[in-house]
């Protein structure tokens, strides 16, 4: 039996994914060891392999078929723009992709001013401002703690994910516009979907049933 390989975004999403998978009989004992430096884990009996990757690399592994299935946030899927099938909303890791800044920046947005936008998500920011809002902006790519940018004057606004809203609040910033809702999604390689249709469809169907049952 060929292995079905899962690429999981390391961290909280991976942990939640593994506990969801456990409920449909998919598990990996090796992965529970918190101290391991191993990168790839196997369940020989089920013919499954799992690896943890940086979130932004998960769509890449899946597009190239190095992983058959991936679990990663919608934010990362949109930003990476890879060719793959998005098959399921897992319902956790919910957050919103937003334009945020000090409330004075609302005015600048309204007048379509030539503003600077700091973001870890330059592709999403570009798509939103150029294609949806038809507003010319300067996008500045950042790698973290993006909320700093409007505070220290690097940019007028930011495009970032907001979960509880406390990072914005504690820094005197607010949501100015909502771009989209995000959550953890299951993605599948396009060739794997055909070659391993039966096994992959079963995983999707079982997860779907579990999620629907929980929401009821
Ligand atoms: C994310 C995001 C916000 C924060 C939002 O950052 O970029 O900064 O979480 O969460 P909240 O609305 O619940 O406050 P992350 O923790 O990934 O760190 P980073 O900015 O350094 O990448």
């Amino acid at each position: 039996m060929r292995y079905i390989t899962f690429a999981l975004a390391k961290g909280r999403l991976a942990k939640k994914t593994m506990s969801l998978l456990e409920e449909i009989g998919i598990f990996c004992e090796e992965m529970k060891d918190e101290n391991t430096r191993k990168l790839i884990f196997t369940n020989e009996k089920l013919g499954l392999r799992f690896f943890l990757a940086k979130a932004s690399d998960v769509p890449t592994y899946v597009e190239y078929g190095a992983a058959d299935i991936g679990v990663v946030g919608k934010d990362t899927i949109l930003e990476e723009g890879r060719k793959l099938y998005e098959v399921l909303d897992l319902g956790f890791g919910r957050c919103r992709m937003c334009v945020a800044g000090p409330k004075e920046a609302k005015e600048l947005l309204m007048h379509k001013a030539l503003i600077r936008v700091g973001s870890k998500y330059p592709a999403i920011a570009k798509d939103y401002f150029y294609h949806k809002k038809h507003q010319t902006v300067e996008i500045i790519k950042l790698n973290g703690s993006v909320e700093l940018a409007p505070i220290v004057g690097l940019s007028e606004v930011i495009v970032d994910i907001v979960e509880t809203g406390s990072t914005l609040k504690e820094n005197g910033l607010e949501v100015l516009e909502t771009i989209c809702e995000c959550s953890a999604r299951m993605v599948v390689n396009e060739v794997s979907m055909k070659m391993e249709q039966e096994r992959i469809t079963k995983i999707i169907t079982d997860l779907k049933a579990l999620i629907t049952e929980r929401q009821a």
Side-chain angles (χ1 to χ4, degrees), residues 144-208:
S145 304
V146 183
E147 290 82 1
L148 261 175
I151 300 172
V152 297
L154 176 67
S155 70
E156 280 70 40
V157 298
I158 58 172
V159 164
D160 201 14
I161 48 170
V162 178
E163 197 182 338
T164 61
S166 49
T167 311
L168 288 181
K169 202 169 166 212
E170 285 183 33
N171 291 290
L173 306 172
E174 58 186 64
V175 170
L176 303 171
E177 291 174 1
T178 297
I179 300 175
C180 63
E181 302 291 327
C182 298
S183 56
R185 307 290 161 97
M186 178 166 278
V187 293
V188 178
N189 170 267
E190 292 182 346
V191 176
S192 308
M193 198 64 194
K194 294 188 184 77
M195 304 298 285
E196 292 293 339
Q197 200 199 8
E198 206 174 309
R199 292 169 76 197
I200 294 177
T201 306
K202 170 140 178 50
I203 295 169
I204 299 169
T205 312
D206 288 355
L207 281 175
K208 241 185 212 162

Side-chain angles (χ1 to χ4, degrees), residues 78-117:
L78 289 171
E79 181 62 26
E80 295 302 313
R82 294 284 175 179
K83 253 177 89 58
L84 33 78
Y85 294 133
E86 185 185 317
V87 295
L88 194 58
D89 183 345
L90 297 173
F92 53 79
R94 286 198 182 282
C95 55
R96 280 187 298 160
M97 183 65 66
C98 295
V99 179
K103 67 170 180 295
E104 303 78 58
K106 236 179 209 165
E107 197 79 354
L108 299 171
L109 288 170
M110 241 163 58
H111 294 112
K112 296 200 189 295
L114 178 56
I115 50 171
R116 293 164 299 173
V117 180

